[in-house]
Amino acid sequence: MLRKIRLTFALIFFFLILLLFLDFTGTVHAWMGWLAKIQFMPAVLALNLVVVAILLALTLIFGRLYCSVICPLGVFQDIAAWFGKKARKNRYSYSPAISWLRYGILGIFIVALVAGAGSLAALLEPYSSFGRIASNLFSPVYSAINNFLAFLAERADSYAFYKTDIWIKSIPTFAIAVATFTIIVVLAWRNGRTYCNTICPVGTILGFFARFSWFKPVMESSRCVNCKACEKNCKASAIDVATHTIDYSRCVACMDCIQKCNKGAISYTHKTKEKEKPAADGKSGDINRNRRSFLTATALLATTATVTAQEKKVDGGLAIIEKKKIPERSTPIVPPGALGLGNFTQHCTACQLCVSVCPNGVLRPSAGLMTLMQPEMSYERGYCRPECVKCSEVCPAGAIRPITVAEKSSIQIGHAVWVKENCIPLTDGENCGNCARHCPAGAIAMIPSDPSDNNSIRIPAINVEKCIGCGTCENLCPARPLSAIYVEGHEIHRTI
């Protein structure tokens, strides 16, 4: 019963969190966004002490239920291990904990966080790793299915589905996601929770507290017949039948051992002190422990990328618009609500949730060494619409603080820069003014290129004090391959 309860909650949590990364409409986030905020490291980085305290209390009472129920990467390992189990049953065996490796990786993780090396920390953090897998590998498949349904719906004169772009947002991040997926699947297929109990820093932290948990699987020596059914099915390799002991720092309270033992030698209960019972011959008898059944359910906190930009056409389909190139920016652009580069890089876990939910294609993972995989803004595919605050609504780690639409319109994340050599009025001798017409902040005005001739062709003039860096001008500039106007980011955001 306990195992069925755990599996039910684990699958519910897993698929709802997966939908957070797959859903491009933002509907799921409105109802289930809290699932991202109760992940351990995002809660720590967001200084959400209430969530951290609840997760630690949950661990101290019930063991590592976070790892087996709430953590999506933990459940993903169980799914991979389940398929491996179909290939070969009873394939696990006890192995001693590699403590020096576990705590060594935890030390590197903590140093990386303190030093601001968010990319290194993001490589090890489980929720972020799952997020990259979901957004880079699962999301394209989900979008392809959606686009197929949209194709069928269009021919049935239905608007139940609409087509969405499928594109690789970052080659390095995609490659890291593939490598992470491969490593986790292979390890889980062969050895169960090896990644969880050897590499994952969150697993090491919670494992330390789990040693003192009130409820835990307990072996009763008097009933054990040394069949090793529990040991061979423990995906954490934490059960040593030879000594009738369980390594509770690695046990994830999956209840598989209890389900496999047909002698009732393992139960999920509070471990009391061992008492000796006198035997009939006056000698010490076998150890006898009090047992209680814990049957109440715990209320847990509850493909191919179209990188070609769809080959947009104009003039009745007579000309193909050339793709834009990304301009060289001295300072990366981070979303409104991030406060600035410093706060963003320190708190971002590179989970890609904001990238997944961005409806305008503005956010994509960085390829820079120090900010690798952390999102940054670029405007080749769209611009940051003043009425959209989705990224601030979904960020679980405090890297992007919640803001209102009114607040966003007054936050300056960068400023526009005019590139004279690319401007169409000067290169082609044709009037344009596209940037000025569409600027939502009214920060661009068209002025005569020759101050002495009011009738001369007009060029843009930028009021950097009014510009908010939304990228509308850069995105809508018709100059190719580089826009005649681009946005330079600000290290510290300010309100104007």
Side-chain angles (χ1 to χ4, degrees), residues 52-93:
V52 174
I54 291 174
L55 292 178
L56 291 179
L58 184 71
T59 304
L60 287 171
I61 298 173
F62 302 108
R64 288 174 57 182
L65 281 183
Y66 171 85
C67 299
S68 61
V69 175
I70 301 176
C71 177
L73 191 67
V75 180
F76 178 66
Q77 289 177 74
D78 285 350
I79 294 174
W82 181 81
F83 282 103
K85 194 174 181 179
K86 291 293 183 182
R88 183 166 68 91
K89 296 181 179 180
N90 299 322
R91 70 191 192 283
Y92 304 128
S93 62

Side-chain angles (χ1 to χ4, degrees), residues 121-144:
L123 281 173
L124 302 172
E125 206 280 313
Y127 167 74
S128 300
S129 297
F130 177 79
R132 288 190 295 274
I133 292 172
S135 60
N136 286 277
L137 304 183
F138 299 159
S139 182
V141 176
Y142 180 85
S143 297

Side-chain angles (χ1 to χ4, degrees), residues 34 87 143 158 225 238 245 284 291 445:
W34 59 273
S143 297
S158 170
V225 295
T245 57
S284 297
R291 291 286 180 255

Side-chain angles (χ1 to χ4, degrees), residues 361-432:
V362 169
L363 285 170
R364 72 279 311 270
S366 169
L369 181 60
M370 295 304 296
T371 58
L372 184 65
M373 302 182 295
Q374 292 185 340
E376 64 182 16
M377 303 175 73
S378 199
Y379 302 123
E380 296 72 56
R381 302 180 65 88
Y383 57 90
C384 191
R385 296 182 181 272
E387 71 277 7
C388 176
V389 291
K390 286 189 178 296
C391 59
S392 75
E393 293 174 347
V394 303
C395 179
I400 309 174
R401 307 296 174 89
I403 57 173
T404 64
V405 173
E407 289 172 334
K408 180 179 180 179
S409 63
S410 62
I411 297 176
Q412 189 179 63
I413 62 174
H415 66 276
V417 177
W418 180 53
V419 183
K420 180 179 179 180
E421 299 78 28
N422 297 339
C423 196
I424 286 178
L426 298 180
T427 58
D428 295 358
E430 298 289 340
N431 286 313
C432 179

Side-chain angles (χ1 to χ4, degrees), residues 34 43 164 177 183 233 236 261 273 282 284 336 345 385 404 423 441 443 465:
W34 59 273
T164 183
I183 291 171
N233 286 277
C261 182
K273 290 184 179 180
S284 297
T345 54
R385 296 182 181 272
T404 64
C423 196
E465 294 298 318

